[in-house]
Amino acid sequence: MNEKEVNELVARGEMLPLMEEFYTIQGEGFHKGTAAYFVRIGGCDVGCHWCDVKESWNAKLHPPTAVDTIVENAVKYSKTVVVTGGEPLTWDMTKLTTGLKEKGAKTHIETSGAYPLTGTWDWICLSPKKIKLPTEEIYKVADELKVIVFNKHDLIFAEEQADKVNENCILYLQPEWSNREKMMPLIVDYVMQNPKWKVSLQTHKYLNIP
């Protein structure tokens, strides 16, 4: 295939810029401790300054990979597949999730919600960012809201976002890793005073796994 043909397939979601894929333990949020296959899709223009996977931002650095191949690789390892990024909703997730569901997999996504929701999902983790806010539609269907706390103002932002999600959405505050020692006492106190929130930790980093 030539470059134009590949780009057309990517635009239709039949190929995706695959950064990496791996079988590990979910380290964050509601499903922490659960074995899952992670599919990290390249491409993100949200641009969080503290992002720990900045190498995912430029989609052109990651090879366009057939969705069928991604699906086959994933289900060899797990029936729980977590799609993350980058920002996976930069791309159409319909074909990927259809393929995974046909194989009996549960589909989870981790997203900033900055782009329209595509695909069929069993679990939606919404992690909103101030610099590119989520679309209104995703607030209604998010299963968990995970707000990264880098400074005190992020707690105000967290409450603003919590006001928008559905009543069944589980609320998490997670310290940004590089600033965790400063933020964790603040988060602990805040959750104790506002118990609708829960603390989320990047337990995979403590376990030294991907």
Side-chain angles (χ1 to χ4, degrees), residues 18-39:
L18 180 64
M19 178 181 167
E20 59 180 345
E21 50 187 344
F22 51 91
Y23 185 45
T24 188
I25 301 295
Q26 170 63 273
E28 305 176 11
F30 183 79
H31 293 283
K32 65 181 178 295
T34 302
Y37 193 82
F38 277 70
V39 176

mmCIF file with all atom_site columns, all heavy atoms in Angstrom, residues 18-39:
data_model
loop_
_atom_site.group_PDB
_atom_site.id
_atom_site.type_symbol
_atom_site.label_atom_id
_atom_site.label_alt_id
_atom_site.label_comp_id
_atom_site.label_asym_id
_atom_site.label_entity_id
_atom_site.label_seq_id
_atom_site.pdbx_PDB_ins_code
_atom_site.Cartn_x
_atom_site.Cartn_y
_atom_site.Cartn_z
_atom_site.occupancy
_atom_site.B_iso_or_equiv
_atom_site.pdbx_formal_charge
_atom_site.auth_seq_id
_atom_site.auth_comp_id
_atom_site.auth_asym_id
_atom_site.auth_atom_id
_atom_site.pdbx_PDB_model_num
ATOM 1   N N   . LEU A 1 18 ? -0.077  2.330   16.194 1.00 0.00 ? 18 LEU A N   1
ATOM 2   C CA  . LEU A 1 18 ? 0.144   1.550   17.411 1.00 0.00 ? 18 LEU A CA  1
ATOM 3   C C   . LEU A 1 18 ? 1.495   1.890   18.014 1.00 0.00 ? 18 LEU A C   1
ATOM 4   O O   . LEU A 1 18 ? 2.534   1.628   17.405 1.00 0.00 ? 18 LEU A O   1
ATOM 5   C CB  . LEU A 1 18 ? 0.060   0.059   17.091 1.00 0.00 ? 18 LEU A CB  1
ATOM 6   C CG  . LEU A 1 18 ? 0.274   -0.904  18.248 1.00 0.00 ? 18 LEU A CG  1
ATOM 7   C CD1 . LEU A 1 18 ? -0.816  -0.742  19.307 1.00 0.00 ? 18 LEU A CD1 1
ATOM 8   C CD2 . LEU A 1 18 ? 0.318   -2.340  17.741 1.00 0.00 ? 18 LEU A CD2 1
ATOM 9   N N   . MET A 1 19 ? 1.475   2.453   19.214 1.00 0.00 ? 19 MET A N   1
ATOM 10  C CA  . MET A 1 19 ? 2.727   2.777   19.900 1.00 0.00 ? 19 MET A CA  1
ATOM 11  C C   . MET A 1 19 ? 3.304   1.551   20.605 1.00 0.00 ? 19 MET A C   1
ATOM 12  O O   . MET A 1 19 ? 4.477   1.227   20.477 1.00 0.00 ? 19 MET A O   1
ATOM 13  C CB  . MET A 1 19 ? 2.504   3.897   20.908 1.00 0.00 ? 19 MET A CB  1
ATOM 14  C CG  . MET A 1 19 ? 3.751   4.253   21.679 1.00 0.00 ? 19 MET A CG  1
ATOM 15  S SD  . MET A 1 19 ? 3.476   5.550   22.874 1.00 0.00 ? 19 MET A SD  1
ATOM 16  C CE  . MET A 1 19 ? 4.996   5.410   23.822 1.00 0.00 ? 19 MET A CE  1
ATOM 17  N N   . GLU A 1 20 ? 2.456   0.879   21.368 1.00 0.00 ? 20 GLU A N   1
ATOM 18  C CA  . GLU A 1 20 ? 2.898   -0.322  22.074 1.00 0.00 ? 20 GLU A CA  1
ATOM 19  C C   . GLU A 1 20 ? 1.686   -1.117  22.535 1.00 0.00 ? 20 GLU A C   1
ATOM 20  O O   . GLU A 1 20 ? 0.567   -0.598  22.617 1.00 0.00 ? 20 GLU A O   1
ATOM 21  C CB  . GLU A 1 20 ? 3.786   0.036   23.274 1.00 0.00 ? 20 GLU A CB  1
ATOM 22  C CG  . GLU A 1 20 ? 3.115   0.922   24.312 1.00 0.00 ? 20 GLU A CG  1
ATOM 23  C CD  . GLU A 1 20 ? 4.029   1.248   25.485 1.00 0.00 ? 20 GLU A CD  1
ATOM 24  O OE1 . GLU A 1 20 ? 5.072   0.578   25.644 1.00 0.00 ? 20 GLU A OE1 1
ATOM 25  O OE2 . GLU A 1 20 ? 3.693   2.168   26.254 1.00 0.00 ? 20 GLU A OE2 1
ATOM 26  N N   . GLU A 1 21 ? 1.915   -2.379  22.817 1.00 0.00 ? 21 GLU A N   1
ATOM 27  C CA  . GLU A 1 21 ? 0.871   -3.248  23.366 1.00 0.00 ? 21 GLU A CA  1
ATOM 28  C C   . GLU A 1 21 ? 1.546   -4.220  24.320 1.00 0.00 ? 21 GLU A C   1
ATOM 29  O O   . GLU A 1 21 ? 2.639   -4.714  24.045 1.00 0.00 ? 21 GLU A O   1
ATOM 30  C CB  . GLU A 1 21 ? 0.124   -3.972  22.244 1.00 0.00 ? 21 GLU A CB  1
ATOM 31  C CG  . GLU A 1 21 ? 1.012   -4.670  21.239 1.00 0.00 ? 21 GLU A CG  1
ATOM 32  C CD  . GLU A 1 21 ? 0.251   -5.237  20.057 1.00 0.00 ? 21 GLU A CD  1
ATOM 33  O OE1 . GLU A 1 21 ? -0.984  -5.373  20.132 1.00 0.00 ? 21 GLU A OE1 1
ATOM 34  O OE2 . GLU A 1 21 ? 0.909   -5.572  19.054 1.00 0.00 ? 21 GLU A OE2 1
ATOM 35  N N   . PHE A 1 22 ? 0.893   -4.483  25.445 1.00 0.00 ? 22 PHE A N   1
ATOM 36  C CA  . PHE A 1 22 ? 1.530   -5.329  26.452 1.00 0.00 ? 22 PHE A CA  1
ATOM 37  C C   . PHE A 1 22 ? 0.495   -5.856  27.440 1.00 0.00 ? 22 PHE A C   1
ATOM 38  O O   . PHE A 1 22 ? -0.540  -5.239  27.675 1.00 0.00 ? 22 PHE A O   1
ATOM 39  C CB  . PHE A 1 22 ? 2.625   -4.564  27.200 1.00 0.00 ? 22 PHE A CB  1
ATOM 40  C CG  . PHE A 1 22 ? 2.183   -3.223  27.745 1.00 0.00 ? 22 PHE A CG  1
ATOM 41  C CD1 . PHE A 1 22 ? 1.671   -3.115  29.029 1.00 0.00 ? 22 PHE A CD1 1
ATOM 42  C CD2 . PHE A 1 22 ? 2.286   -2.074  26.970 1.00 0.00 ? 22 PHE A CD2 1
ATOM 43  C CE1 . PHE A 1 22 ? 1.269   -1.887  29.533 1.00 0.00 ? 22 PHE A CE1 1
ATOM 44  C CE2 . PHE A 1 22 ? 1.885   -0.835  27.466 1.00 0.00 ? 22 PHE A CE2 1
ATOM 45  C CZ  . PHE A 1 22 ? 1.373   -0.743  28.748 1.00 0.00 ? 22 PHE A CZ  1
ATOM 46  N N   . TYR A 1 23 ? 0.814   -7.016  28.006 1.00 0.00 ? 23 TYR A N   1
ATOM 47  C CA  . TYR A 1 23 ? -0.029  -7.658  29.020 1.00 0.00 ? 23 TYR A CA  1
ATOM 48  C C   . TYR A 1 23 ? 0.538   -7.329  30.383 1.00 0.00 ? 23 TYR A C   1
ATOM 49  O O   . TYR A 1 23 ? 1.729   -7.534  30.640 1.00 0.00 ? 23 TYR A O   1
ATOM 50  C CB  . TYR A 1 23 ? -0.020  -9.159  28.786 1.00 0.00 ? 23 TYR A CB  1
ATOM 51  C CG  . TYR A 1 23 ? -0.944  -9.959  29.670 1.00 0.00 ? 23 TYR A CG  1
ATOM 52  C CD1 . TYR A 1 23 ? -2.260  -9.553  29.911 1.00 0.00 ? 23 TYR A CD1 1
ATOM 53  C CD2 . TYR A 1 23 ? -0.502  -11.142 30.260 1.00 0.00 ? 23 TYR A CD2 1
ATOM 54  C CE1 . TYR A 1 23 ? -3.102  -10.305 30.709 1.00 0.00 ? 23 TYR A CE1 1
ATOM 55  C CE2 . TYR A 1 23 ? -1.344  -11.912 31.055 1.00 0.00 ? 23 TYR A CE2 1
ATOM 56  C CZ  . TYR A 1 23 ? -2.643  -11.485 31.279 1.00 0.00 ? 23 TYR A CZ  1
ATOM 57  O OH  . TYR A 1 23 ? -3.478  -12.233 32.074 1.00 0.00 ? 23 TYR A OH  1
ATOM 58  N N   . THR A 1 24 ? -0.302  -6.786  31.263 1.00 0.00 ? 24 THR A N   1
ATOM 59  C CA  . THR A 1 24 ? 0.199   -6.354  32.572 1.00 0.00 ? 24 THR A CA  1
ATOM 60  C C   . THR A 1 24 ? -0.952  -6.321  33.574 1.00 0.00 ? 24 THR A C   1
ATOM 61  O O   . THR A 1 24 ? -2.010  -6.915  33.350 1.00 0.00 ? 24 THR A O   1
ATOM 62  C CB  . THR A 1 24 ? 0.885   -4.974  32.448 1.00 0.00 ? 24 THR A CB  1
ATOM 63  O OG1 . THR A 1 24 ? 1.535   -4.662  33.696 1.00 0.00 ? 24 THR A OG1 1
ATOM 64  C CG2 . THR A 1 24 ? -0.093  -3.877  32.101 1.00 0.00 ? 24 THR A CG2 1
ATOM 65  N N   . ILE A 1 25 ? -0.733  -5.617  34.667 1.00 0.00 ? 25 ILE A N   1
ATOM 66  C CA  . ILE A 1 25 ? -1.754  -5.422  35.688 1.00 0.00 ? 25 ILE A CA  1
ATOM 67  C C   . ILE A 1 25 ? -2.218  -3.965  35.632 1.00 0.00 ? 25 ILE A C   1
ATOM 68  O O   . ILE A 1 25 ? -1.390  -3.047  35.630 1.00 0.00 ? 25 ILE A O   1
ATOM 69  C CB  . ILE A 1 25 ? -1.191  -5.714  37.106 1.00 0.00 ? 25 ILE A CB  1
ATOM 70  C CG1 . ILE A 1 25 ? -0.676  -7.164  37.199 1.00 0.00 ? 25 ILE A CG1 1
ATOM 71  C CG2 . ILE A 1 25 ? -2.254  -5.450  38.166 1.00 0.00 ? 25 ILE A CG2 1
ATOM 72  C CD1 . ILE A 1 25 ? -1.740  -8.219  37.054 1.00 0.00 ? 25 ILE A CD1 1
ATOM 73  N N   . GLN A 1 26 ? -3.535  -3.770  35.562 1.00 0.00 ? 26 GLN A N   1
ATOM 74  C CA  . GLN A 1 26 ? -4.059  -2.394  35.614 1.00 0.00 ? 26 GLN A CA  1
ATOM 75  C C   . GLN A 1 26 ? -3.656  -1.774  36.944 1.00 0.00 ? 26 GLN A C   1
ATOM 76  O O   . GLN A 1 26 ? -3.910  -2.343  38.010 1.00 0.00 ? 26 GLN A O   1
ATOM 77  C CB  . GLN A 1 26 ? -5.584  -2.421  35.463 1.00 0.00 ? 26 GLN A CB  1
ATOM 78  C CG  . GLN A 1 26 ? -6.290  -1.104  35.734 1.00 0.00 ? 26 GLN A CG  1
ATOM 79  C CD  . GLN A 1 26 ? -5.920  0.018   34.783 1.00 0.00 ? 26 GLN A CD  1
ATOM 80  O OE1 . GLN A 1 26 ? -4.940  0.736   35.031 1.00 0.00 ? 26 GLN A OE1 1
ATOM 81  N NE2 . GLN A 1 26 ? -6.665  0.184   33.713 1.00 0.00 ? 26 GLN A NE2 1
ATOM 82  N N   . GLY A 1 27 ? -3.015  -0.620  36.868 1.00 0.00 ? 27 GLY A N   1
ATOM 83  C CA  . GLY A 1 27 ? -2.470  -0.024  38.075 1.00 0.00 ? 27 GLY A CA  1
ATOM 84  C C   . GLY A 1 27 ? -3.304  1.081   38.700 1.00 0.00 ? 27 GLY A C   1
ATOM 85  O O   . GLY A 1 27 ? -3.025  1.501   39.819 1.00 0.00 ? 27 GLY A O   1
ATOM 86  N N   . GLU A 1 28 ? -4.332  1.545   37.986 1.00 0.00 ? 28 GLU A N   1
ATOM 87  C CA  . GLU A 1 28 ? -5.040  2.746   38.436 1.00 0.00 ? 28 GLU A CA  1
ATOM 88  C C   . GLU A 1 28 ? -6.552  2.538   38.473 1.00 0.00 ? 28 GLU A C   1
ATOM 89  O O   . GLU A 1 28 ? -7.094  1.676   37.785 1.00 0.00 ? 28 GLU A O   1
ATOM 90  C CB  . GLU A 1 28 ? -4.732  3.916   37.482 1.00 0.00 ? 28 GLU A CB  1
ATOM 91  C CG  . GLU A 1 28 ? -3.264  4.212   37.304 1.00 0.00 ? 28 GLU A CG  1
ATOM 92  C CD  . GLU A 1 28 ? -3.019  5.315   36.276 1.00 0.00 ? 28 GLU A CD  1
ATOM 93  O OE1 . GLU A 1 28 ? -3.980  5.984   35.853 1.00 0.00 ? 28 GLU A OE1 1
ATOM 94  O OE2 . GLU A 1 28 ? -1.859  5.488   35.879 1.00 0.00 ? 28 GLU A OE2 1
ATOM 95  N N   . GLY A 1 29 ? -7.207  3.367   39.280 1.00 0.00 ? 29 GLY A N   1
ATOM 96  C CA  . GLY A 1 29 ? -8.658  3.459   39.240 1.00 0.00 ? 29 GLY A CA  1
ATOM 97  C C   . GLY A 1 29 ? -9.392  2.222   39.714 1.00 0.00 ? 29 GLY A C   1
ATOM 98  O O   . GLY A 1 29 ? -8.886  1.403   40.477 1.00 0.00 ? 29 GLY A O   1
ATOM 99  N N   . PHE A 1 30 ? -10.620 2.073   39.247 1.00 0.00 ? 30 PHE A N   1
ATOM 100 C CA  . PHE A 1 30 ? -11.535 1.049   39.731 1.00 0.00 ? 30 PHE A CA  1
ATOM 101 C C   . PHE A 1 30 ? -11.008 -0.367  39.516 1.00 0.00 ? 30 PHE A C   1
ATOM 102 O O   . PHE A 1 30 ? -11.214 -1.254  40.345 1.00 0.00 ? 30 PHE A O   1
ATOM 103 C CB  . PHE A 1 30 ? -12.894 1.209   39.029 1.00 0.00 ? 30 PHE A CB  1
ATOM 104 C CG  . PHE A 1 30 ? -13.933 0.247   39.501 1.00 0.00 ? 30 PHE A CG  1
ATOM 105 C CD1 . PHE A 1 30 ? -14.621 0.468   40.690 1.00 0.00 ? 30 PHE A CD1 1
ATOM 106 C CD2 . PHE A 1 30 ? -14.248 -0.876  38.755 1.00 0.00 ? 30 PHE A CD2 1
ATOM 107 C CE1 . PHE A 1 30 ? -15.586 -0.424  41.133 1.00 0.00 ? 30 PHE A CE1 1
ATOM 108 C CE2 . PHE A 1 30 ? -15.214 -1.774  39.186 1.00 0.00 ? 30 PHE A CE2 1
ATOM 109 C CZ  . PHE A 1 30 ? -15.889 -1.545  40.381 1.00 0.00 ? 30 PHE A CZ  1
ATOM 110 N N   . HIS A 1 31 ? -10.351 -0.612  38.391 1.00 0.00 ? 31 HIS A N   1
ATOM 111 C CA  . HIS A 1 31 ? -9.916  -1.961  38.037 1.00 0.00 ? 31 HIS A CA  1
ATOM 112 C C   . HIS A 1 31 ? -8.470  -2.260  38.423 1.00 0.00 ? 31 HIS A C   1
ATOM 113 O O   . HIS A 1 31 ? -7.893  -3.232  37.921 1.00 0.00 ? 31 HIS A O   1
ATOM 114 C CB  . HIS A 1 31 ? -10.108 -2.194  36.540 1.00 0.00 ? 31 HIS A CB  1
ATOM 115 C CG  . HIS A 1 31 ? -11.548 -2.230  36.129 1.00 0.00 ? 31 HIS A CG  1
ATOM 116 N ND1 . HIS A 1 31 ? -12.357 -3.314  36.339 1.00 0.00 ? 31 HIS A ND1 1
ATOM 117 C CD2 . HIS A 1 31 ? -12.330 -1.293  35.540 1.00 0.00 ? 31 HIS A CD2 1
ATOM 118 C CE1 . HIS A 1 31 ? -13.571 -3.061  35.891 1.00 0.00 ? 31 HIS A CE1 1
ATOM 119 N NE2 . HIS A 1 31 ? -13.586 -1.856  35.397 1.00 0.00 ? 31 HIS A NE2 1
ATOM 120 N N   . LYS A 1 32 ? -7.902  -1.460  39.307 1.00 0.00 ? 32 LYS A N   1
ATOM 121 C CA  . LYS A 1 32 ? -6.513  -1.695  39.709 1.00 0.00 ? 32 LYS A CA  1
ATOM 122 C C   . LYS A 1 32 ? -6.362  -3.110  40.265 1.00 0.00 ? 32 LYS A C   1
ATOM 123 O O   . LYS A 1 32 ? -7.238  -3.625  40.955 1.00 0.00 ? 32 LYS A O   1
ATOM 124 C CB  . LYS A 1 32 ? -6.057  -0.667  40.738 1.00 0.00 ? 32 LYS A CB  1
ATOM 125 C CG  . LYS A 1 32 ? -6.765  -0.716  42.063 1.00 0.00 ? 32 LYS A CG  1
ATOM 126 C CD  . LYS A 1 32 ? -6.258  0.368   42.991 1.00 0.00 ? 32 LYS A CD  1
ATOM 127 C CE  . LYS A 1 32 ? -6.992  0.354   44.313 1.00 0.00 ? 32 LYS A CE  1
ATOM 128 N NZ  . LYS A 1 32 ? -8.426  0.674   44.196 1.00 0.00 ? 32 LYS A NZ  1
ATOM 129 N N   . GLY A 1 33 ? -5.240  -3.721  39.907 1.00 0.00 ? 33 GLY A N   1
ATOM 130 C CA  . GLY A 1 33 ? -4.983  -5.077  40.354 1.00 0.00 ? 33 GLY A CA  1
ATOM 131 C C   . GLY A 1 33 ? -5.475  -6.146  39.400 1.00 0.00 ? 33 GLY A C   1
ATOM 132 O O   . GLY A 1 33 ? -5.214  -7.334  39.605 1.00 0.00 ? 33 GLY A O   1
ATOM 133 N N   . THR A 1 34 ? -6.174  -5.736  38.342 1.00 0.00 ? 34 THR A N   1
ATOM 134 C CA  . THR A 1 34 ? -6.741  -6.667  37.374 1.00 0.00 ? 34 THR A CA  1
ATOM 135 C C   . THR A 1 34 ? -5.782  -6.885  36.208 1.00 0.00 ? 34 THR A C   1
ATOM 136 O O   . THR A 1 34 ? -5.238  -5.924  35.660 1.00 0.00 ? 34 THR A O   1
ATOM 137 C CB  . THR A 1 34 ? -8.072  -6.117  36.821 1.00 0.00 ? 34 THR A CB  1
ATOM 138 O OG1 . THR A 1 34 ? -8.972  -5.897  37.909 1.00 0.00 ? 34 THR A OG1 1
ATOM 139 C CG2 . THR A 1 34 ? -8.699  -7.084  35.830 1.00 0.00 ? 34 THR A CG2 1
ATOM 140 N N   . ALA A 1 35 ? -5.591  -8.131  35.810 1.00 0.00 ? 35 ALA A N   1
ATOM 141 C CA  . ALA A 1 35 ? -4.783  -8.414  34.629 1.00 0.00 ? 35 ALA A CA  1
ATOM 142 C C   . ALA A 1 35 ? -5.501  -7.911  33.383 1.00 0.00 ? 35 ALA A C   1
ATOM 143 O O   . ALA A 1 35 ? -6.712  -8.110  33.233 1.00 0.00 ? 35 ALA A O   1
ATOM 144 C CB  . ALA A 1 35 ? -4.523  -9.917  34.515 1.00 0.00 ? 35 ALA A CB  1
ATOM 145 N N   . ALA A 1 36 ? -4.775  -7.239  32.497 1.00 0.00 ? 36 ALA A N   1
ATOM 146 C CA  . ALA A 1 36 ? -5.385  -6.679  31.296 1.00 0.00 ? 36 ALA A CA  1
ATOM 147 C C   . ALA A 1 36 ? -4.334  -6.506  30.211 1.00 0.00 ? 36 ALA A C   1
ATOM 148 O O   . ALA A 1 36 ? -3.140  -6.378  30.495 1.00 0.00 ? 36 ALA A O   1
ATOM 149 C CB  . ALA A 1 36 ? -6.042  -5.329  31.604 1.00 0.00 ? 36 ALA A CB  1
ATOM 150 N N   . TYR A 1 37 ? -4.800  -6.503  28.971 1.00 0.00 ? 37 TYR A N   1
ATOM 151 C CA  . TYR A 1 37 ? -3.930  -6.261  27.828 1.00 0.00 ? 37 TYR A CA  1
ATOM 152 C C   . TYR A 1 37 ? -4.098  -4.799  27.429 1.00 0.00 ? 37 TYR A C   1
ATOM 153 O O   . TYR A 1 37 ? -5.217  -4.338  27.179 1.00 0.00 ? 37 TYR A O   1
ATOM 154 C CB  . TYR A 1 37 ? -4.304  -7.168  26.664 1.00 0.00 ? 37 TYR A CB  1
ATOM 155 C CG  . TYR A 1 37 ? -3.257  -7.208  25.567 1.00 0.00 ? 37 TYR A CG  1
ATOM 156 C CD1 . TYR A 1 37 ? -2.142  -8.024  25.680 1.00 0.00 ? 37 TYR A CD1 1
ATOM 157 C CD2 . TYR A 1 37 ? -3.391  -6.432  24.418 1.00 0.00 ? 37 TYR A CD2 1
ATOM 158 C CE1 . TYR A 1 37 ? -1.176  -8.077  24.676 1.00 0.00 ? 37 TYR A CE1 1
ATOM 159 C CE2 . TYR A 1 37 ? -2.430  -6.476  23.414 1.00 0.00 ? 37 TYR A CE2 1
ATOM 160 C CZ  . TYR A 1 37 ? -1.329  -7.298  23.544 1.00 0.00 ? 37 TYR A CZ  1
ATOM 161 O OH  . TYR A 1 37 ? -0.381  -7.346  22.561 1.00 0.00 ? 37 TYR A OH  1
ATOM 162 N N   . PHE A 1 38 ? -2.996  -4.077  27.400 1.00 0.00 ? 38 PHE A N   1
ATOM 163 C CA  . PHE A 1 38 ? -3.030  -2.650  27.090 1.00 0.00 ? 38 PHE A CA  1
ATOM 164 C C   . PHE A 1 38 ? -2.643  -2.407  25.635 1.00 0.00 ? 38 PHE A C   1
ATOM 165 O O   . PHE A 1 38 ? -1.659  -2.953  25.146 1.00 0.00 ? 38 PHE A O   1
ATOM 166 C CB  . PHE A 1 38 ? -2.076  -1.881  28.008 1.00 0.00 ? 38 PHE A CB  1
ATOM 167 C CG  . PHE A 1 38 ? -2.670  -1.539  29.344 1.00 0.00 ? 38 PHE A CG  1
ATOM 168 C CD1 . PHE A 1 38 ? -2.921  -2.534  30.281 1.00 0.00 ? 38 PHE A CD1 1
ATOM 169 C CD2 . PHE A 1 38 ? -2.995  -0.229  29.664 1.00 0.00 ? 38 PHE A CD2 1
ATOM 170 C CE1 . PHE A 1 38 ? -3.481  -2.228  31.507 1.00 0.00 ? 38 PHE A CE1 1
ATOM 171 C CE2 . PHE A 1 38 ? -3.551  0.090   30.893 1.00 0.00 ? 38 PHE A CE2 1
ATOM 172 C CZ  . PHE A 1 38 ? -3.797  -0.915  31.818 1.00 0.00 ? 38 PHE A CZ  1
ATOM 173 N N   . VAL A 1 39 ? -3.414  -1.571  24.979 1.00 0.00 ? 39 VAL A N   1
ATOM 174 C CA  . VAL A 1 39 ? -3.137  -1.149  23.616 1.00 0.00 ? 39 VAL A CA  1
ATOM 175 C C   . VAL A 1 39 ? -2.968  0.369   23.643 1.00 0.00 ? 39 VAL A C   1
ATOM 176 O O   . VAL A 1 39 ? -3.928  1.104   23.899 1.00 0.00 ? 39 VAL A O   1
ATOM 177 C CB  . VAL A 1 39 ? -4.280  -1.538  22.659 1.00 0.00 ? 39 VAL A CB  1
ATOM 178 C CG1 . VAL A 1 39 ? -4.019  -0.991  21.260 1.00 0.00 ? 39 VAL A CG1 1
ATOM 179 C CG2 . VAL A 1 39 ? -4.455  -3.054  22.623 1.00 0.00 ? 39 VAL A CG2 1
#
